[in-house]
Amino acid sequence: MTQLADYTAIRDGFMTKARTLTAYFPQPYQVTDDEADVNRGAKHYMILRPGAAPIAPVAGLQSKKLFRISWNITFDLQVRYKDFKHSWNEFTDLRDAILNLFVFTMDPSIPGTFGIWDVSLTAPDPPGQKDQNGSPAWLGQQITAVIVQQIDVSR
């Protein structure tokens, strides 16, 4: 049977793994691809956006039967703003938990997928506040997860 690439499986598995951080995400809707879920009143959110999937054959192989795909999942990591000190501490604790779950681990697996080689996180900008009606409402950061999957299309 041929192994197939599937962005939806990668995204859904990423969300499933993030939801294991129940100290921050006690409700499944807190890890979502629907921005409207922030209106449901929780303190922490991970809002996913679709990303790119550049595909390249593995270097050094004669045939194009083995591919590594870098799946990119962009997400907003958000903490509801309370006050400066409290909110920054909560945000850094949440971001550390995400890093520990996906990056600083010997198990880069993503539930419901195969061939995951690596997961890394990158952020183009520092975290900051999102204002609503002139007052801080959220403290957050946009982060991109790069999930490297190897697929053998000869099977």
Side-chain angles (χ1 to χ4, degrees):
M1 183 169 102
T2 301
Q3 294 179 343
L4 299 175
D6 185 354
Y7 174 80
T8 302
I10 298 291
R11 183 204 59 210
D12 291 350
F14 186 86
M15 292 171 70
T16 297
K17 190 167 183 174
R19 287 179 179 133
T20 65
L21 296 173
T22 56
Y24 300 99
F25 306 123
Q27 300 297 322
Y29 67 80
Q30 291 177 261
V31 178
T32 182
D33 58 2
D34 182 356
E35 197 168 89
D37 283 333
V38 299
N39 296 321
R40 297 175 79 173
K43 282 189 347 182
H44 309 101
Y45 284 92
M46 176 187 277
I47 304 166
L48 282 75
R49 313 269 186 252
I55 301 173
V58 175
L61 292 180
Q62 296 290 335
S63 65
K64 293 184 178 181
K65 303 227 185 252
L66 194 59
F67 291 85
R68 285 209 184 129
I69 301 174
S70 294
W71 300 102
N72 297 317
I73 299 175
T74 300
F75 60 92
D76 292 330
L77 192 61
Q78 298 183 2
V79 172
R80 194 173 296 279
Y81 191 85
K82 181 178 179 180
D83 60 56
F84 186 82
K85 185 174 181 164
H86 180 263
S87 299
W88 275 106
N89 287 340
E90 272 200 44
F91 175 79
T92 56
D93 289 348
L94 173 56
R95 189 176 55 187
D96 286 349
I98 296 291
L99 284 166
N100 288 334
L101 181 65
F102 287 103
V103 178
F104 303 125
T105 177
M106 296 303 293
D107 180 14
S109 66
I110 302 293
T113 66
F114 58 89
I116 302 300
W117 280 57
D118 188 42
V119 177
S120 61
L121 300 177
T122 182
D125 297 311
Q129 296 174 351
K130 293 185 177 183
D131 292 346
Q132 185 175 358
N133 300 325
S135 299
W138 295 97
L139 181 62
Q141 185 173 30
Q142 189 172 81
I143 299 171
T144 298
V146 180
I147 301 164
V148 180
Q149 181 183 35
Q150 184 162 302
I151 296 176
D152 182 350
V153 296
S154 66
R155 291 196 219 171

